Amino acid sequence: MSGAINNGLSNELSSEIANQMMTQEALMQWIILLPLLAIPGILLFHKQQNLREAATLIVGALLLFAVIAFYQSFDAGQGAYVHWWELLPGLDIAFRAEPLGVLFSLVAGSLWLVTSIYSIGYMRGHGEGNQTRFYFFFAIAITGVMGLAFADNLFTLFVFYEILTLSTYPLVTHAGTDKARHGGRIYLSILLVTSILFFLFAVIGTWTETGDLTFTAGGVFDDSTSKVVASVLLALFVFGIGKAAVMPFHRWLPAAMVAPTPVSALLHAVAVVKAGVFSIMKVCVYIFGIDLLAELPITDWLLYIATAGVLLASLVAMRQDNLKKRLAYSTVSQLGYITIGALLATQSGVLGGSFHIVAHAFGKITLFFCAGAIMVAAHKTEISDMRGLGKTMPLTMIAFFIGSMSIIGLPPAAGMWSKWYLLMGTLEAEQVAVMIVLMISSLLNIAYLLPIPLRAFFDGERSVVSIRRDEIKEAPWPSLLALSITAIMTLVFFFWPQPFYGLAQSLATIAGGAHG
């Protein structure tokens, strides 16, 4: 009797788990494909901008609800799996949910909607042309991000990585000027050359060595793998994933600043650079595993290269008077933090690097939103021309101050938690020099970010604003709403980091479980 009851309960539980998995699998596919559903509306209403933008906002809201629902039902021990297509035996387009991918999808899903709201105010306020094309390629780029986030193997990740590269090129060259086309050529050439010459060969080398491209806890390499071969492959991955902007393959990022500010926000927070550091983190945890990383002699060299990039990019940022260029080099530096987190090969490093994807995303997109708002409302792009703007654009400059605190790592902003765990990771790995550089970099962050809002509010008699302040107004309300939301969320995630922290902690546990 009791055996029959137990069997009945077991069957009922198994059926419930199976139904939940089917729901998760369907939801994961919807998340990947949903952005494409905006395209018919964008094209159909290309002459009716309100309806065109409504299509983007509605699908953006649906995507946000979908990623939140997926997160709420996600179980790291039972990740949903979907197989789409087998090109050759072992080369599959397949997707699987794991903590890092769910974290990335939450970031991208949240910020696509906010960036779309911002874009309405910016594109209209700045009188940008070709807005239909902008929203069209923006939607394709987000599909590329979602496919990459849930990639089950290196082949799938590579395919969606390239989709993202190609779909963002028209956004970088959106203005159509000679300067925009030149920036676009640098952007496309560096990203394609690094991915084809390095990233693709790393994928092929991994396949040749192991016969397996699937992301696996603890990595796919076994004890028979030569340390020399593994070291070469790791270097190919780190430099081949050009979107991570590891020096010297970083020039595409400041070159892409010719794009409209919503595109810059897309590049620096929602999609491109986060796809790069996400890919490096995923390769380090699921292809190599932190056990093997800790044993490879090249790991320390790559760690020091990333560390040097953090410091050098911060120094270059200090010399930039153009606000977007300063933020671009700041991004190069901050991406180095995440690469360092992966290469430290410690649980705290993985945790800090993963959470910095979130903290930097919300903090840096706030700063870019503010830069665009200043350009639209005050027609200023140079930092030296922005004294006194805080008295006429107070909300914008307060948001800039909050975003700056997160990038620096000051409380009460989310960036404090990621930098804290990264410093713990350096101590675990006994990398004192790296810890010192990260601390110096944070001091440099203070030097090149905080003076901007402080001078905007406390300009004294040295203001060089050439027009009357009563003529300057805040940016259009959609842009102001968007930058206010991201600034508030930067504060919220300091007091309530649990959703993203829990996912980052799960990833660190997976890495440490194999390590242990």
Side-chain angles (χ1 to χ4, degrees), residues 219-503:
V220 298
F221 297 102
D222 57 30
D223 293 337
S224 65
T225 302
S226 164
K227 296 293 188 292
V228 174
V229 171
S231 294
V232 171
L233 290 175
L234 179 60
L236 288 174
F237 276 118
V238 170
F239 292 116
I241 301 174
K243 290 184 177 72
V246 176
M247 288 186 174
F249 302 107
H250 67 286
R251 287 188 59 244
W252 65 268
L253 204 155
M257 288 302 96
V258 296
T261 300
V263 177
S264 300
L266 168 73
L267 297 178
H268 290 264
V270 184
V272 179
V273 297
K274 292 305 180 297
V277 289
F278 163 86
S279 298
I280 285 184
M281 181 67 74
K282 195 155 186 173
V283 164
C284 287
V285 172
Y286 290 109
I287 295 298
F288 289 88
I290 63 175
D291 259 344
L292 181 58
L293 281 180
E295 296 174 3
L296 296 180
I298 200 172
T299 301
D300 281 349
W301 287 102
L302 295 172
L303 177 65
Y304 298 147
I305 290 172
T307 303
V310 167
L311 188 59
L312 291 173
S314 295
L315 292 172
V316 174
M318 289 186 66
R319 300 178 57 189
Q320 305 302 314
D321 191 40
N322 181 277
L323 180 54
K324 285 180 66 176
K325 282 189 176 180
R326 182 173 293 193
L327 296 180
Y329 281 102
S330 169
T331 298
V332 174
S333 176
Q334 295 296 314
L335 294 178
Y337 281 69
I338 302 168
T339 303
I340 287 170
L343 294 174
L344 284 171
T346 64
Q347 281 187 277
S348 292
V350 170
L351 172 56
S354 302
F355 194 78
H356 202 60
I357 292 176
V358 181
H360 180 260
F362 282 88
K364 187 53 66 70
I365 202 170
T366 301
L367 298 183
F368 271 103
F369 281 172
C370 292
I374 292 169
M375 186 169 69
V376 169
H379 310 292
K380 300 293 181 182
T381 58
E382 307 304 304
I383 295 168
S384 56
D385 293 337
M386 295 179 186
R387 294 179 185 270
L389 284 182
K391 297 178 181 178
T392 49
M393 300 184 71
L395 292 179
T396 298
M397 299 315 298
I398 290 172
F400 194 99
F401 179 73
I402 294 171
S404 298
M405 286 198 302
S406 187
I407 300 302
I408 294 165
L410 294 175
M416 176 190 166
W417 298 125
S418 56
K419 291 199 173 186
W420 172 265
Y421 282 104
L422 284 169
L423 290 176
M424 293 301 100
T426 61
L427 293 176
E428 282 184 27
E430 299 181 351
Q431 294 286 354
V432 177
V434 177
M435 179 187 70
I436 292 172
V437 170
L438 292 184
M439 295 174 71
I440 292 173
S441 174
S442 289
L443 294 176
L444 293 175
N445 297 161
I446 294 174
Y448 68 71
L449 286 177
L450 278 190
I452 299 171
L454 292 179
R455 289 172 183 169
F457 285 109
F458 308 105
D459 63 318
E461 298 178 355
R462 298 185 297 167
S463 174
V464 292
V465 177
S466 59
I467 60 176
R468 295 199 319 270
R469 291 175 181 159
D470 58 1
E471 293 179 348
I472 306 177
K473 300 178 181 178
E474 292 278 10
W477 72 264
S479 297
L480 197 62
L481 174 64
L483 64 89
S484 299
I485 291 172
T486 55
I488 290 170
M489 295 312 295
T490 297
L491 298 176
V492 168
F493 292 138
F494 173 82
F495 295 102
W496 185 60
Q498 282 81 358
F500 295 110
Y501 174 83
L503 292 168

Side-chain angles (χ1 to χ4, degrees), residues 34-39 54-64 112-113:
L34 257 176
L36 298 180
L37 296 183
I39 290 177
T56 297
L57 293 177
I58 290 171
V59 175
L62 290 175
L63 180 63
L64 176 58
W112 182 37
L113 177 60

Side-chain angles (χ1 to χ4, degrees), residues 60-83:
L62 290 175
L63 180 63
L64 176 58
F65 290 140
V67 295
I68 292 174
F70 190 86
Y71 160 73
Q72 290 175 335
S73 63
F74 172 68
D75 182 348
Q78 300 175 344
Y81 173 78
V82 173
H83 182 273

Side-chain angles (χ1 to χ4, degrees), residues 184-201:
R185 283 194 295 271
I186 295 174
Y187 174 83
L188 193 63
S189 60
I190 292 178
L191 291 186
L192 286 181
V193 167
T194 53
S195 64
I196 293 172
L197 291 185
F198 302 142
F199 191 8
L200 181 59
F201 274 94

